[in-house]
Amino acid sequence: MFKPNANPFPVLEEQSELRRLTQRPQRHRLLHGYPLAAAMPRVEPGDRSSQGLLHFQPDRGLLVGVLPHPFCNPTVTGCGFCTFPHETFNRGGAVGVMDHVVKELEQKREADPSLAGRPVAGLYFGGGTANLSPADSFRTLCRALANTFDLSTAEVTLEGVPAAFLNRTPLLADILREELPARHFRLSMGIQTFDEARLQQMGRLGFGTATTFRDVVRLGHARGFTVSGDLLFNLPGQPLTVMRDDIGQAIELGLDHLGLYHLVMFAGLGTEWSRDPALVASLPTNPVAAQHWLELRSLLHEQGFYQTTLTNFERREFLGQDRRFVYEERSFQPDRYDMIGLGPTGISFAGSGQTAVKVINPDSASAYVEAVNQGGAACWNRAFTYAPRDLRVLHLTRSLSALRIDRPRYQGFFGTDPRDDFPREFAALEQEGLILVSDGAIEPTCLGMFYADSIAALLSWKQVLGLRNQHSAVGSPTASHANSNSRSHM
């Protein structure tokens, strides 16, 4: 994939690191933002010294992400591939956690009265299984959110497993409309694949098949919602013909929005599938996987979809319309939007000029409940304050997720040009054909989109090494450093 070094700029160290990175598994950690949890210093939940870290400025936009609970119920742990924190579903546990999500919201409102009536641009019920929430608890949570924020201009998304959109009484989609006075509603379901043998391998047949997926689209459209679905590609031993067929069937369903994710799997990752040497051995190499990405991306463009972010595509008729998916797009603008994250693993971010803070709540249900019960607004257990260089890395990696680093916008915010701030890194990336540089922007090439994890890792490389030396942080305890890119990634 690499071109000879025709540029005399001395970037051999950066090129060597980049080539190391592109030979490793390409992950989706870029979507979580710099720095990742592994690079963030720990704090004790309720630590009074961290209570005042977050200040949400009224002149900035606001997004709210809610993870109602961490529970799921596939017949194969984590569907074989999932790296999200998850626990075995039980209704009582979900009710208990959701009661504490409401309590966390109340604590934040008491600590910062300016949040009351604050306009919200996007509200996202996520975590992969939000629609497994018990209906009464979900209604209570929706009411608490509606009583706290101004949702009149908000886009609201409910994420979940397909069958749970259909087999609940009452339907959570109807609770959304009844309780939230929002501008627009969306449903987002994890399809993964239409191949029933593969769904069985994932333990997801109980979550639905093609008929279920179609019924979710019809349910959403009948209520005026837009509907999105997520697909995985580059599954173990999966032929390109099956990947193309999955996309064809997804389009035929009438989905408005499609998320396309390359499978992340390698020995030592800690997922069920990653423990099976035969499955790991049947994964495509990075060059082959990248070629699959290029072909599938082209197919979506041919079928009337346009790309909005690294992993997301929408039908062309939504281009420039207010019904397009905006939550993710705006989450990639840390110079304009803050984030309140509620629930287990909730991520909050607050910026002010040339400073910003990011905090993350505990992952497990029990640790989260304990943290909320300690009282106060600070139930997080990881916190990071951005230095000027960190904020530049954040801006670049967030913009990369949105496919375009706007050079005049960056210069207007920081007073410098990104190529002046990261000259060696951008020179190496350009020489290797992973970015295109113009007077107005720095953009990933189509190949660079597949290797975006490596691009972000190179931009944050030296900064993360410094953070890890400072905080003695390490990568995921279940991941092999030889395979994971964790050494230098965000």
Side-chain angles (χ1 to χ4, degrees):
M1 62 169 269
F2 293 105
K3 300 184 297 186
N5 182 4
N7 192 316
F9 199 83
V11 294
L12 294 180
E13 183 184 17
E14 283 73 15
Q15 282 187 314
S16 176
E17 176 65 8
L18 180 58
R19 292 175 180 181
R20 185 193 72 82
L21 291 165
T22 56
Q23 292 168 11
R24 300 297 190 260
Q26 300 303 296
R27 308 183 70 174
H28 302 298
R29 294 168 298 176
L30 182 63
L31 302 179
H32 296 276
Y34 168 86
L36 292 183
M40 290 178 63
R42 293 268 173 175
V43 297
E44 288 298 320
D47 181 352
R48 298 299 170 186
S49 66
S50 71
Q51 292 274 9
L53 280 177
L54 291 178
H55 299 284
F56 298 104
Q57 302 298 320
D59 60 339
R60 289 169 56 84
L62 185 64
L63 302 170
V64 178
V66 182
L67 289 87
H69 58 78
F71 301 111
C72 192
N73 59 355
T75 59
V76 174
T77 302
C79 301
F81 60 83
C82 183
T83 57
F84 288 177
H86 52 263
E87 302 172 39
T88 302
F89 182 84
N90 71 87
R91 188 182 187 281
V95 169
V97 172
M98 293 180 71
D99 287 346
H100 284 79
V101 176
V102 172
K103 186 175 180 179
E104 181 192 358
L105 175 61
E106 292 170 347
Q107 291 171 348
K108 282 182 165 49
R109 186 175 58 203
E110 291 170 4
D112 185 355
S114 71
L115 292 177
R118 179 80 179 269
V120 169
L123 168 61
Y124 198 103
F125 294 95
T129 59
N131 69 343
L132 294 181
S133 300
D136 289 345
S137 295
F138 188 69
R139 189 182 297 277
T140 299
L141 175 57
C142 286
R143 287 179 178 174
L145 289 161
N147 290 334
T148 299
F149 301 110
D150 175 3
L151 301 175
S152 60
T153 59
E155 168 194 271
V156 175
T157 300
L158 175 61
E159 183 177 79
V161 300
F165 285 113
L166 306 170
N167 60 12
R168 315 295 299 279
T169 303
L171 296 175
L172 297 196
D174 289 336
I175 293 176
L176 284 180
R177 288 204 307 177
E178 292 164 5
E179 302 295 345
L180 300 177
R183 172 183 63 82
H184 178 57
F185 295 97
R186 302 175 66 254
L187 302 180
S188 177
M189 60 176 159
I191 293 173
Q192 317 311 350
T193 180
F194 289 81
D195 182 343
E196 291 191 16
R198 186 75 72 173
L199 289 172
Q200 184 173 21
Q201 184 186 31
M202 295 174 178
R204 292 181 63 92
L205 278 178
F207 292 170
T209 58
T211 299
T212 314
F213 308 153
R214 185 181 303 279
D215 288 345
V216 173
V217 174
R218 289 173 175 170
L219 178 144
H221 286 174
R223 288 159 175 75
F225 293 16
T226 49
V227 184
S228 70
D230 290 342
L231 290 176
L232 287 172
F233 69 103
N234 286 327
L235 297 169
Q238 185 183 39
L240 178 60
T241 54
V242 174
M243 302 179 207
R244 293 177 63 92
D245 184 63
D246 276 348
I247 286 180
Q249 290 193 64
I251 294 172
E252 195 272 332
L253 287 182
L255 288 169
D256 305 298
H257 171 275
L258 187 63
L260 189 61
Y261 295 89
H262 159 73
L263 176 70
V264 176
M265 191 172 93
F266 50 86
L269 179 62
T271 59
E272 284 292 303
W273 284 5
S274 69
R275 298 186 181 99
D276 185 331
L279 287 178
V280 173
S282 65
L283 292 170
T285 63
N286 278 356
V288 172
Q291 186 58 42
H292 291 163
W293 156 254
L294 296 175
E295 296 201 28
L296 298 177
R297 179 179 179 275
S298 294
L299 176 61
L300 279 164
H301 280 277
E302 292 166 6
Q303 295 299 316
F305 281 70
Y306 73 101
Q307 188 174 2
T308 58
T309 67
L310 284 172
T311 56
N312 289 323
F313 298 80
E314 276 190 311
R315 292 187 183 272
R316 253 185 219 111
E317 56 261 37
F318 288 98
L319 185 61
Q321 301 300 310
D322 62 1
R323 284 164 56 83
R324 75 189 192 281
F325 179 33
V326 300
Y327 179 90
E328 186 173 64
E329 168 192 318
R330 291 173 181 175
S331 74
F332 295 152
Q333 301 177 42
D335 55 332
R336 297 178 180 176
Y337 287 89
D338 288 336
M339 166 76 76
I340 294 177
L342 302 169
T345 325
I347 298 174
S348 297
F349 173 87
S352 177
Q354 298 297 304
T355 63
V357 172
K358 175 180 178 179
V359 299
I360 305 180
N361 287 350
D363 295 337
S364 72
S366 59
Y368 169 74
V369 167
E370 181 182 357
V372 174
N373 283 338
Q374 290 182 14
C379 69
W380 51 78
N381 64 354
R382 286 150 289 185
F384 183 80
T385 300
Y386 291 82
R389 181 78 171 181
D390 295 311
L391 205 57
R392 285 166 164 80
V393 172
L394 174 70
H395 184 106
L396 292 175
T397 52
R398 296 273 82 185
S399 298
L400 177 64
S401 300
L403 305 178
R404 189 175 194 272
I405 298 168
D406 186 312
R407 295 176 73 179
R409 179 170 166 179
Y410 179 100
Q411 187 155 13
F413 191 76
F414 293 109
T416 54
D417 184 82
R419 290 194 77 182
D420 293 334
D421 289 340
F422 298 83
R424 297 168 65 89
E425 291 86 350
F426 280 123
L429 291 166
E430 188 173 18
Q431 289 169 26
E432 303 299 354
L434 298 185
I435 61 170
L436 294 173
V437 179
S438 66
D439 289 344
I442 299 172
E443 300 168 290
T445 61
C446 296
L447 185 63
M449 294 172 193
F450 179 81
Y451 288 105
D453 192 62
S454 295
I455 298 175
L458 186 69
L459 292 172
S460 60
W461 172 34
K462 294 178 181 178
Q463 201 71 3
V464 168
L465 288 179
L467 289 175
R468 293 194 171 180
N469 289 336
Q470 179 181 352
H471 301 297
S472 300
V474 296
S476 167
T478 60
S480 161
H481 284 270
N483 288 325
S484 72
N485 269 356
S486 61
R487 173 178 108 185
S488 55
H489 195 50
M490 310 183 306

